[in-house]
Amino acid sequence: MKVVTEQLPPLQIHHQGEAPTGAMVEIVELLLQQATLDGQIVFYPWARAYEVAQQQANTLIFSIMRTPAREHKFHWVAPLLADTVHLIRLKSRPELAISAIEQAKQFRIGVTRSDIAQFYLEEKGFTTEQNILLSSSYPRLWQSLFDRKVDYIMANEFMWRQKQTFEGETFQPIEVALSLDDFAQDYYLAASLNTSPIIISKLKKALEKIHQSGQYLAILQKWHLAD
């Protein structure tokens, strides 16, 4: 079977010529092992991963947020991680302080293409013609913020805290401009609609086992995603 994902440190990390790693990569690999399923994790830009997971049989995708608009497009195997989502700005730009999402319409917000963040903003009246800048990956998204091509980016707390920690002095100081409390916050492992029910059942049972054994929590703690 095929397993698709995107570059999203510290959940999914892939460097050319090296084996993929990251918290969710380790969990998904452990799930496949426990379920005695053969699957290769393939990294794509998010829009491509999302497309492949809808079109190909016996395909898994992670880490994907579950929303009403996506509900009928996948089998939702299991939640993997919960986190909060924010608008992030450079600390050196206090003029970008806001208290409501509507105030951000006069500025540009960076998001990854076909990500839930894009659809969230579009539902609130933002457009790619006026105030949304699309990037193909999270590294490019961060660079657009540092280069001031955008005023804000939408990012999960674990994502920007991890990036700040590991990049140290090369990371420009940032801060939360606005917490988006109405944004979907649970990351899932999902499967294409034409995935075998046997595979889905095996994965759900495997997840129960690694939760019960403590392996799941140990991986999150290793990556500083849980206490």
Side-chain angles (χ1 to χ4, degrees):
M1 64 183 305
K2 194 168 191 175
V3 187
V4 297
T5 190
E6 65 171 334
Q7 180 87 342
L8 181 60
L11 305 189
Q12 297 105 226
I13 305 168
H14 184 236
H15 299 296
Q16 195 68 32
E18 298 180 14
T21 186
M24 294 303 109
V25 168
E26 289 190 17
I27 285 173
V28 170
E29 287 179 338
L30 184 57
L31 281 176
L32 293 172
Q33 180 184 341
Q34 288 281 347
T36 62
L37 294 171
D38 291 326
Q40 180 183 6
I41 296 176
V42 181
F43 279 72
Y44 291 120
W46 180 251
R48 176 61 177 154
Y50 190 74
E51 179 184 32
V52 168
Q54 291 181 81
Q55 294 178 349
Q56 297 186 15
N58 297 328
T59 300
L60 302 177
I61 182 171
F62 72 101
S63 302
I64 180 171
M65 285 186 171
R66 186 174 186 173
T67 68
R70 290 175 172 176
E71 189 68 28
H72 66 286
K73 296 180 179 180
F74 302 95
H75 292 298
W76 298 93
V77 179
L80 297 175
L81 185 70
D83 196 41
T84 52
V85 179
H86 311 281
L87 282 185
I88 302 295
R89 67 172 174 88
L90 293 176
K91 208 167 187 176
S92 60
R93 302 192 65 188
E95 73 276 11
L96 296 178
I98 56 174
S99 58
I101 190 69
E102 285 295 316
Q103 295 174 303
K105 287 185 175 177
Q106 61 185 305
F107 304 107
R108 298 192 79 192
I109 302 177
V111 298
T112 52
R113 187 180 303 275
S114 297
D115 185 77
I116 182 178
Q118 177 185 346
F119 307 132
Y120 171 88
L121 291 175
E122 289 173 346
E123 287 177 358
K124 293 188 177 294
F126 291 78
T127 67
T128 53
E129 289 78 19
Q130 292 185 317
N131 38 31
I132 298 175
L133 179 69
L134 301 178
S135 294
S136 61
S137 67
Y138 280 100
R140 290 183 178 179
L141 185 63
W142 280 107
Q143 198 58 51
S144 69
L145 179 69
F146 297 151
D147 292 342
R148 300 195 177 202
K149 293 179 180 177
V150 297
D151 302 298
Y152 311 97
I153 64 170
M154 288 180 67
N156 302 285
E157 187 160 344
F158 67 77
M159 185 200 309
W160 66 264
R161 288 194 184 281
Q162 186 266 356
K163 192 170 181 66
Q164 194 165 24
T165 299
F166 285 92
E167 296 198 9
E169 294 180 358
T170 64
F171 188 86
Q172 295 183 41
I174 59 171
E175 63 183 21
V176 172
L178 186 69
S179 294
L180 304 174
D181 297 330
D182 62 336
F183 193 92
Q185 297 175 352
D186 290 331
Y187 279 104
Y188 273 74
L189 172 66
S192 56
L193 290 178
N194 44 3
T195 296
S196 165
I198 295 174
I199 289 175
I200 294 172
S201 177
K202 283 185 174 183
L203 288 167
K204 288 183 175 182
K205 289 177 181 177
L207 185 64
E208 288 180 14
K209 287 182 180 179
I210 68 171
H211 270 297
Q212 292 170 359
S213 69
Q215 292 170 288
Y216 190 96
L217 179 59
I219 292 173
L220 294 186
Q221 290 172 332
K222 170 186 172 181
W223 289 92
H224 308 290
L225 295 173
D227 298 326

